[in-house]
Amino acid sequence: MTQQFWDSKYETMSMHELMDVQLKRLKKLITYVYNTNQYYHRKLSDAKVTPQSIKTVKDIEKIPFLTKQDLRAYYPFGLVCTSVDDIIEVHASSGTTGKPVVGPYTRKDVDLWGEMMARALYANGLRKKDILQNAYGYGLFTGAHGFEKGAQKIGAMVITIGSGNTERQIDIMRDFKSTALACTPSYCLHIAEVAEQKGLTPAKDFHLRLGVFGAESWSEEIRRNIEKRWGIVAHEHYGLTELIGPGVVSECEYKKLHINADHFYPELIDPNTGETLEFGEEGELVYTTLTKEAFPAIRFRTKDLASITQDICECGRTLPIQSRIKGRSDDMMKIKGVIVFPSQIEAALMQVIGVSDNYQIVKTKNRDIYTLSVEVEPSEDRYKEGHLDDFEKRAENEIYRILNLHVPVHAIPPRTIPRSTGKAKRVIER
Ligand SMILES: [Zn+2]
């Protein structure tokens, strides 16, 4: 009999048992950082928190948040709680604004990461017999490394191709008979596009059955497009360099994002006031790494907006469920008083017949006032048909239906928008 869960003990424990595990680990964590790191010691002392103050998991709320600014202030190793000698691997975020965020790992942290990624990929359906084409960019970025560790722990074969060189991706995918693909959703669509240009049919001419995607926001509509085009099941991954990389949540066969809450303690807050919200409400995700050694993040503000529920899942896992990310509070735009997330525009566009997966949201600033427009590529066939004003009107109507906001849409020739082998740039400013 094949096992249903990677780690049934932790994935199916009762809420009561989970809270016991979380409390035990939280107490140990607070004692650890209090005694090993000056920054944390001072921060806890200022908030009048000692290791003895943690009596229930809710006592975590007495500790001030950790922000990206804190991480930058202590760049690169100021928040490390072990000796720097004990670090065996380092990653970093892209750092488009200011210094990058550094993710240091001890041997125990690397093992934990592999374990969390194995749990996530196993829940996606990856097994030992699979051949995973790892088309995330190798380098400082966590993505490729996390997927490699998890897949190898399961015993799958990992093709360490990295991102880019799309023609070669296609050849290798056919020759090696890859059954699973790891990359950003937009790169997966680009691979499909190039394969089609070569006269191949992605759903028929390959052996892929599974896609494990992340590192950028993508709507359910894009997920359905990917699944149809490739003939695969596509799963979402969520994680952050500040926490461990991918592996914070595991998407089960019912496409529910189960939080690995035995290692990552989730909270939800009001992004404006910092007040704790109840599960079920929508707010900013805040995470505490309960068991990391080199750099434990305590109450890290992710800026990602989502909700969390304790619903029973058909898969049998009892770990709490996180919704898809609605957007990052940083990506939120306010246009004529209306709150707009790029994901909402994507969802609207994907309702239009003849649309491709390629679009760009253009923000234009005129005397401190932002206006928005959308450039979208119709499919080749739709473009040849002409009457593109009908197409544009439809797209504008769909956006209006969701946002109650008039956003002009311009149809542009196919293959005009630059393609990305990593994270797609969906919003540009002119
Ligand atoms: Zn589930």
Side-chain angles (χ1 to χ4, degrees):
M1 201 184 93
T2 53
Q3 68 185 80
Q4 195 183 350
F5 307 107
W6 178 255
D7 185 346
S8 57
K9 179 180 168 196
Y10 287 98
E11 290 179 74
T12 62
M13 65 195 340
S14 71
M15 211 204 296
H16 188 77
E17 288 169 314
L18 174 63
M19 280 172 75
D20 276 352
V21 169
Q22 288 172 329
L23 179 61
K24 210 172 103 202
R25 291 179 173 175
L26 180 65
K27 282 180 171 174
K28 202 173 157 193
L29 170 73
I30 300 304
T31 309
Y32 171 62
V33 300
Y34 190 81
N35 292 328
T36 56
N37 182 279
Q38 287 180 345
Y39 162 81
Y40 272 130
H41 187 91
R42 199 170 58 239
K43 188 172 183 171
L44 293 168
S45 301
D46 289 350
K48 302 194 166 43
V49 177
T50 63
Q52 292 72 38
S53 330
I54 306 294
K55 306 263 189 262
T56 75
V57 280
K58 290 292 266 181
D59 287 327
I60 197 171
E61 291 170 22
K62 296 172 185 163
I63 304 170
F65 296 116
L66 181 71
T67 64
K68 210 160 208 165
Q69 288 74 34
D70 295 327
L71 268 53
R72 294 214 163 103
Y74 292 91
Y75 172 87
F77 299 126
L79 289 171
V80 168
C81 294
T82 56
S83 153
V84 174
D85 272 2
D86 294 326
I87 297 172
I88 62 159
E89 190 165 322
V90 181
H91 291 280
S93 70
S94 48
T96 40
T97 48
K99 295 277 188 201
V101 167
V102 179
Y105 304 73
T106 62
R107 188 170 303 282
K108 203 174 137 231
D109 294 335
V110 168
D111 288 346
L112 171 69
W113 194 13
E115 186 63 21
M116 291 298 99
M117 276 310 292
R119 194 193 276 186
L121 290 168
Y122 199 87
N124 296 163
L126 192 86
R127 296 293 182 269
K128 189 178 182 308
K129 64 178 187 299
D130 278 301
I131 300 172
L132 176 75
Q133 185 152 337
N134 195 359
Y136 281 106
Y138 275 86
L140 275 177
F141 176 60
T142 54
H145 302 269
F147 281 86
E148 177 177 296
K149 288 176 208 301
Q152 287 182 337
K153 193 141 198 169
I154 289 171
M157 183 200 296
V158 179
I159 306 173
T160 59
I161 188 163
S163 69
N165 205 342
T166 309
E167 302 254 339
R168 187 151 175 254
Q169 298 276 358
I170 291 164
D171 291 343
I172 295 277
M173 198 181 280
R174 294 188 82 190
D175 297 346
F176 290 22
K177 298 188 171 57
S178 309
T179 59
L181 174 65
C183 61
T184 60
S186 54
Y187 189 43
C188 153
L189 286 165
H190 180 49
I191 300 174
E193 188 178 49
V194 175
E196 282 159 4
Q197 281 161 18
K198 287 166 75 93
L200 298 166
T201 307
K204 289 207 183 96
D205 295 326
F206 296 88
H207 292 79
L208 276 197
R209 61 172 196 86
L210 187 65
V212 288
F213 304 119
E216 68 184 12
S217 76
W218 51 310
S219 60
E220 285 301 317
E221 288 76 12
I222 290 276
R223 169 162 21 206
R224 278 194 291 276
N225 291 354
I226 290 175
E227 291 187 326
K228 211 173 135 213
R229 203 150 159 200
W230 278 104
I232 60 173
V233 177
H235 283 291
E236 157 79 339
H237 279 255
Y238 176 81
L240 295 165
T241 306
E242 293 86 347
L243 301 176
I244 200 161
V248 177
V249 303
S250 311
E251 197 174 69
C252 69
E253 62 268 41
Y254 296 94
K255 294 184 174 147
K256 299 286 183 203
L257 290 159
H258 292 277
I259 300 168
N260 292 322
D262 48 334
H263 294 280
F264 304 97
Y265 179 76
E267 294 175 87
L268 212 58
I269 62 163
D270 181 318
N272 299 312
T273 63
E275 226 171 281
T276 305
L277 300 176
E278 294 300 316
F279 282 6
E281 293 183 85
E282 188 175 273
E284 179 182 341
L285 292 167
V286 169
Y287 271 107
T288 297
T289 64
L290 292 171
T291 50
K292 259 175 72 194
E293 233 177 27
F295 162 48
I298 300 177
R299 303 197 85 204
F300 178 68
R301 287 190 63 160
T302 64
K303 296 199 168 183
D304 288 328
L305 304 177
S307 59
I308 298 173
T309 56
Q310 290 279 6
D311 296 348
I312 308 277
C313 187
E314 287 172 84
C315 74
R317 288 176 186 80
T318 50
L319 293 167
I321 296 169
Q322 179 179 304
S323 70
R324 297 290 306 275
I325 303 295
K326 184 178 175 192
R328 287 181 62 76
S329 54
D330 284 354
D331 296 340
M332 191 179 88
M333 301 175 278
K334 210 167 177 184
I335 308 294
K336 293 180 193 158
V338 180
I339 305 268
V340 179
F341 286 100
S343 58
Q344 294 173 300
I345 293 189
E346 179 176 298
L349 290 176
M350 294 306 134
Q351 302 302 322
V352 181
I353 295 167
V355 75
S356 76
D357 303 303
N358 302 295
Y359 70 93
Q360 234 166 14
I361 300 167
V362 184
K363 264 167 87 180
T364 314
K365 196 177 173 184
N366 195 351
R367 289 200 213 121
D368 288 339
I369 297 178
Y370 277 109
T371 52
L372 222 55
S373 63
V374 174
E375 293 176 349
V376 57
E377 295 179 10
S379 64
E380 302 262 0
D381 290 346
R382 180 63 191 84
Y383 190 74
K384 279 184 209 141
E385 248 175 58
H387 304 293
L388 293 170
D389 41 345
D390 285 353
F391 175 85
E392 290 169 344
K393 192 84 211 137
R394 271 197 196 167
E396 286 170 4
N397 289 345
E398 285 296 339
I399 294 173
Y400 189 83
R401 208 168 52 81
I402 291 183
L403 292 171
N404 225 343
L405 182 76
H406 182 75
V407 179
V409 174
H410 308 291
I412 56 172
R415 294 185 232 170
T416 313
I417 295 169
R419 305 297 194 251
S420 163
T421 59
K423 296 187 195 198
K425 202 163 166 53
R426 298 295 198 188
V427 183
I428 59 164
E429 213 172 308
R430 275 188 197 142

